[in-house]
Amino acid sequence: MKPFVAALFATMCLASIGSASAQTAAPAPAPASVTEDFKPSSVNQPGQQYPQVNSQGIARFKVVAPDAQSVKVSLGLGGRGGTVLTKGADGTWTGTTEGPLDEGFHYYHLTVDGGTFNDPGAMNFYGSTRWESGIEIPAHDADFYALKNVPHGRVEQVLFHSPSTNTERRAFVYTPPGYDKNARERYPVLYLQHGWGEDETAWSNQGHANLILDNLIASGKARPFLIVMTYGMTNDVRPGGMASFDIKPFKTVLVDELIPYVDANFRTLADANHRAMAGLSMGGFETKLIAPANLDKFAYIALLSGGTFTVDDVNKTPGFKEKVKLAFVSFGSRELEGRGMGGPPGGGPRVDPRVSAEAVKQAGVNSVFYVSPNTGHEFLTWRRSLRELAPLLFKD
Amino acid sequence: MKPFVAALFATMCLASIGSASAQTAAPAPAPASVTEDFKPSSVNQPGQQYPQVNSQGIARFKVVAPDAQSVKVSLGLGGRGGTVLTKGADGTWTGTTEGPLDEGFHYYHLTVDGGTFNDPGAMNFYGSTRWESGIEIPAHDADFYALKNVPHGRVEQVLFHSPSTNTERRAFVYTPPGYDKNARERYPVLYLQHGWGEDETAWSNQGHANLILDNLIASGKARPFLIVMTYGMTNDVRPGGMASFDIKPFKTVLVDELIPYVDANFRTLADANHRAMAGLSMGGFETKLIAPANLDKFAYIALLSGGTFTVDDVNKTPGFKEKVKLAFVSFGSRELEGRGMGGPPGGGPRVDPRVSAEAVKQAGVNSVFYVSPNTGHEFLTWRRSLRELAPLLFKD
């Protein structure tokens, strides 16, 4: 990893690694009593009764493994190894998280006799460089990403040839409702990146980006635009760490190959003022490396739990003040708890990203800062961030 | 289940249930020696080394579960409970199938200490009403569904409102290369159904329907057309049996809701001569129940390991001889071994489907019969069947 990249990534990691504990923590204290109104999680496999969630946000697991010696669930009290299941007379293992989990989507897996397996009851989602089990703790504001009877856009799998990698690569393109019928209209495009260990399926599977846009468009809150989602770890580091990370291969695929492909094959408005780049976590890190260095391509830039913009960034990036129409930064509130972030790495003074965003605004940039209440480095933060971001994009 | 439906389903089951053993059987005798050229299966999770397959089609599994008492794999010698893994000193369980598996795609799962889990090394595919592990034994003719540098169509997820079920339902629509650019062209449509326990993801995930069409179109062997894939077990019987199966809810969704939606939202040629219905296994059964009764909607009908057409069908179905442009029937060769199929249920004389297809042809119908060599009731049979079927469709 080049030093510049390493430094930027270290900054980003303050958010992502620092909040990894939030992902598995039970932030609220254990309630005095557990309300027995458990229902199957909404992302269970068809017909599966477990895992379940109650109205307090407490999760209960049930796994059949009659001859196993131990079964654990990676969700629950982070520091204490998750939730240990206990074996019943019928050979099933059950357990309940000690306290409520944060609202929203959580990845998890089982440890059965020392091996890592998925919960047969839950659907799988690509995260942590593997297909993990997922559970959904119903959010009080879940309506904004609910599947409703409104006009729906499509999520289109495209396969494009990439000369630089000599592969056929996959992207998903959200086309808004009416895209096919309004055959003379052209649309702006948001390039939207997943986080480390995830892939191009994340934003539609666990992010519900399509449903968020469907609902925003139906209520007149966002302008119809395309969303393009592709795999961002081009110099494939799965399943290892980030040691070999290099932004160049992905930058080439995105800027030199995918953008021209999308502009040639979809009815886009193919200029910087109608193109945005955003990403979550590592995807925000990539966004910050790519978009400011390509302001002839992108005028809207958003980092979701993936770093901040500083006045220094603005001053040292040619054209930033003049060309950037929006510099959007968001975090989950748990990522900010007890910690300032976004300052220079290596022991310099830590700058609270709220302060940094305000300073960027004072410097004359349309800087918007959003904090998702009571969420950590997880998808409810990013669903909400997209809900906040989308109405701000492409204001001609 | 209504008697007529039950009878037809029983006929279909001769193929599907009868060949369930073929799915896990090792038809070839165990080779004298195992060639040590094992490579990771092509449908492993990214970066995962196991499961592996060698040049003889033998599969090897490796699972980490240091404290487990027993680990089995459901693939291998069917009647003898699959492949039993043995524990090494390092806590990993390994095992090799006793003989070669059939070429193509196989679903499987692990049994770890009596519980059913997926192999953490393999990707998951929806089959048997659950997300199962999958493994791919390289087929000698795999080129026809390979991902190549040819113009690619898209697989578009659409969400459509269904008044009869009061749900927003999902379908995937393959649009051929050039669909978006040729904005004045209209296209024929194939409605293509999955089998029992599968869903609308099957034909593109494990079936590679999109790649098969991309390659056929690139080589000039098939006319560009749309493929629509939706969930066919509308009165959701997952994960139970077929006892409550009723064709009506699905027929309503398909004929009264999805077809009008597709014709309104895609540039289709919206008449019977440009509309086909095909399905595999239970999907073939559904096709036979729906298409011949709606010959004003479908002129091309195909049953893939999902029943046969008899002269009786032809004679008793008004308009069959006049309106049906193609009656296509296919099976895997292992489904036909030692067994005649397609005759009337309840102990009547069993009719070999080859004989039946020939009789239908003699009756004046464009009857085509295809047998996939050395495959059973599995996806390589159906990939090949689609390859054979597509060039025969929509011959204006």
Side-chain angles (χ1 to χ4, degrees):
Chain A
M1 203 190 302
K2 292 178 186 169
F4 173 67
V5 174
L8 263 177
F9 188 63
T11 310
M12 193 276 288
C13 286
L14 284 174
S16 62
I17 296 176
S19 66
S21 59
Q23 185 170 341
T24 48
S33 68
V34 174
T35 306
E36 287 296 332
D37 58 356
F38 287 88
K39 289 181 189 142
S41 158
S42 62
V43 292
N44 280 1
Q45 293 197 28
Q48 293 300 312
Q49 291 302 303
Y50 285 87
Q52 298 193 339
V53 186
N54 78 354
S55 56
Q56 298 162 295
I58 293 172
R60 180 169 287 168
F61 302 87
K62 188 176 216 168
V63 176
V64 176
D67 306 324
Q69 308 300 298
S70 77
V71 181
K72 284 194 302 186
V73 174
S74 63
L75 277 176
L77 296 180
R80 286 185 261 156
T83 300
V84 176
L85 307 192
T86 54
K87 189 177 174 178
D90 62 350
T92 65
W93 295 76
T94 55
T96 305
T97 57
E98 233 178 275
L101 302 170
D102 278 347
E103 292 184 357
F105 174 85
H106 308 276
Y107 297 107
Y108 74 100
H109 57 259
L110 307 178
T111 304
V112 179
D113 284 348
T116 299
F117 298 97
N118 283 342
D119 186 338
M123 294 221 281
N124 305 141
F125 302 86
Y126 197 72
S128 311
T129 72
R130 65 183 300 272
W131 286 91
E132 286 259 283
S133 299
I135 190 171
E136 191 79 39
I137 310 299
H140 68 282
D141 58 349
D143 190 64
F144 78 88
Y145 53 84
L147 175 61
K148 299 186 219 180
N149 183 8
V150 298
H152 296 293
R154 300 179 190 161
V155 178
E156 309 189 1
Q157 175 190 281
V158 299
L159 300 170
F160 64 101
H161 182 69
S162 158
S164 71
T165 60
N166 196 25
T167 55
E168 307 297 298
R169 304 188 73 80
R170 183 168 71 164
F172 291 99
V173 179
Y174 168 80
T175 57
Y179 174 83
D180 248 35
K181 287 192 177 167
N182 307 327
R184 292 185 178 183
E185 200 167 330
R186 304 187 79 85
Y187 294 81
V189 186
L190 164 64
Y191 289 82
L192 185 60
Q193 290 305 124
H194 59 82
W196 179 85
E198 295 170 344
D199 70 8
E200 65 274 23
T201 62
W203 265 109
S204 37
N205 277 358
Q206 48 266 52
H208 300 316
N210 55 325
L211 300 179
I212 293 170
L213 263 287
D214 286 350
N215 292 334
L216 286 172
I217 293 167
S219 61
K221 289 179 186 158
R223 169 180 179 169
F225 57 83
L226 307 187
I227 304 178
V228 177
M229 299 158 278
T230 198
Y231 184 57
M233 295 164 78
T234 305
N235 62 330
D236 209 328
V237 293
R238 296 176 290 187
M242 291 297 293
S244 66
F245 184 81
D246 179 2
I247 193 67
K248 251 191 171 170
F250 176 57
K251 186 177 163 177
T252 301
V253 169
L254 182 75
V255 175
D256 300 339
E257 296 172 350
L258 182 55
I259 289 179
Y261 178 89
V262 168
D263 287 336
N265 288 280
F266 291 85
R267 297 191 317 279
T268 64
L269 292 161
D271 58 25
N273 284 347
H274 297 94
R275 203 180 284 119
M277 184 170 180
L280 72 90
S281 193
M282 187 197 75
F285 166 64
E286 294 180 323
T287 298
K288 190 172 175 179
L289 285 175
I290 292 173
N294 291 274
L295 294 180
D296 59 324
K297 297 277 192 305
F298 305 98
Y300 295 82
I301 311 175
L303 317 179
L304 320 181
S305 307
T308 62
F309 295 109
T310 64
V311 172
D312 208 44
D313 292 328
V314 174
N315 290 336
K316 289 187 177 165
T317 306
F320 200 106
K321 267 189 205 173
E322 300 74 29
K323 293 182 178 171
V324 172
K325 300 262 186 183
L326 175 69
F328 181 97
V329 169
S330 71
F331 286 98
S333 67
R334 301 206 190 290
E335 300 185 272
L336 302 179
E337 281 165 13
R339 180 190 309 130
M341 282 176 305
R350 290 174 149 196
V351 181
D352 187 310
R354 287 165 281 218
V355 174
S356 186
E358 183 57 33
V360 168
K361 187 184 242 172
Q362 294 304 322
V365 173
N366 181 22
S367 162
V368 173
F369 188 74
Y370 169 71
V371 177
S372 162
N374 304 314
T375 59
H377 200 70
E378 293 194 280
F379 250 104
L380 186 51
T381 297
W382 306 318
R383 292 173 185 166
R384 286 174 177 163
S385 296
L386 179 58
R387 178 194 63 195
E388 298 297 312
L389 171 65
L392 307 176
L393 294 176
F394 316 122
K395 305 298 248 187
D396 287 336
Chain B
M1 206 190 296
K2 289 178 189 170
F4 173 66
V5 173
L8 263 176
F9 188 64
T11 308
M12 194 275 288
C13 286
L14 283 175
S16 60
I17 296 177
S19 64
S21 59
Q23 182 168 344
T24 47
S33 68
V34 174
T35 307
E36 286 298 329
D37 57 356
F38 287 87
K39 289 182 188 142
S41 157
S42 62
V43 291
N44 279 0
Q45 293 199 27
Q48 294 299 311
Q49 291 302 304
Y50 285 86
Q52 298 191 338
V53 185
N54 79 354
S55 57
Q56 299 162 295
I58 293 172
R60 180 169 287 170
F61 301 88
K62 187 176 217 169
V63 176
V64 176
D67 306 324
Q69 308 301 299
S70 78
V71 180
K72 284 193 302 184
V73 174
S74 62
L75 278 176
L77 295 180
R80 286 185 261 157
T83 301
V84 176
L85 307 192
T86 55
K87 191 177 174 177
D90 62 351
T92 64
W93 295 76
T94 54
T96 305
T97 56
E98 233 178 273
L101 301 170
D102 278 347
E103 292 185 357
F105 175 85
H106 308 277
Y107 297 109
Y108 75 100
H109 57 260
L110 307 177
T111 303
V112 180
D113 283 348
T116 300
F117 298 97
N118 283 342
D119 186 337
M123 294 221 281
N124 305 140
F125 301 85
Y126 197 72
S128 311
T129 73
R130 64 182 300 272
W131 286 91
E132 287 259 284
S133 298
I135 190 171
E136 190 80 37
I137 310 299
H140 69 279
D141 57 351
D143 190 65
F144 78 88
Y145 53 84
L147 175 61
K148 300 187 218 178
N149 183 9
V150 298
H152 297 293
R154 300 179 188 160
V155 178
E156 310 190 1
Q157 175 191 279
V158 299
L159 300 170
F160 64 101
H161 182 68
S162 158
S164 71
T165 60
N166 196 27
T167 54
E168 307 296 298
R169 302 189 75 80
R170 182 167 71 165
F172 291 99
V173 179
Y174 168 80
T175 57
Y179 174 82
D180 248 34
K181 287 190 175 166
N182 307 329
R184 291 184 180 183
E185 199 167 330
R186 305 188 77 88
Y187 294 81
V189 186
L190 164 64
Y191 289 81
L192 185 60
Q193 291 306 126
H194 59 82
W196 179 87
E198 297 171 341
D199 69 9
E200 65 274 23
T201 63
W203 265 110
S204 36
N205 277 358
Q206 49 265 53
H208 301 316
N210 54 325
L211 300 178
I212 293 169
L213 263 287
D214 286 350
N215 292 334
L216 285 173
I217 293 167
S219 62
K221 288 180 188 155
R223 167 181 180 169
F225 57 82
L226 307 186
I227 304 177
V228 177
M229 299 158 276
T230 198
Y231 183 58
M233 296 164 77
T234 306
N235 63 330
D236 208 327
V237 294
R238 295 178 290 190
M242 292 296 293
S244 65
F245 184 80
D246 179 2
I247 193 67
K248 251 191 171 170
F250 175 57
K251 185 176 164 178
T252 301
V253 168
L254 182 75
V255 175
D256 299 340
E257 297 173 350
L258 182 55
I259 289 179
Y261 178 90
V262 168
D263 286 335
N265 289 279
F266 291 83
R267 297 191 318 280
T268 63
L269 291 162
D271 58 26
N273 283 346
H274 298 91
R275 203 180 285 118
M277 184 169 181
L280 73 89
S281 192
M282 186 197 74
F285 166 64
E286 294 180 323
T287 298
K288 189 170 175 179
L289 285 175
I290 291 174
N294 291 273
L295 294 180
D296 58 325
K297 298 277 191 305
F298 304 98
Y300 295 81
I301 312 175
L303 317 179
L304 319 181
S305 306
T308 62
F309 295 109
T310 63
V311 172
D312 208 43
D313 293 328
V314 173
N315 290 336
K316 288 187 176 165
T317 305
F320 200 106
K321 268 189 205 171
E322 300 74 31
K323 295 182 178 174
V324 172
K325 300 260 186 185
L326 175 69
F328 181 98
V329 168
S330 71
F331 286 96
S333 67
R334 301 209 190 288
E335 300 184 273
L336 302 180
E337 281 165 11
R339 181 190 306 129
M341 283 176 305
R350 291 174 150 195
V351 179
D352 187 310
R354 288 165 280 220
V355 175
S356 184
E358 184 57 32
V360 168
K361 187 185 242 173
Q362 295 304 324
V365 173
N366 181 22
S367 163
V368 174
F369 187 73
Y370 169 71
V371 177
S372 162
N374 303 315
T375 60
H377 199 70
E378 294 194 279
F379 250 103
L380 186 52
T381 297
W382 306 319
R383 292 172 185 165
R384 287 173 175 164
S385 296
L386 179 59
R387 176 195 65 194
E388 298 299 312
L389 171 65
L392 306 178
L393 294 177
F394 316 123
K395 307 296 246 185
D396 286 337

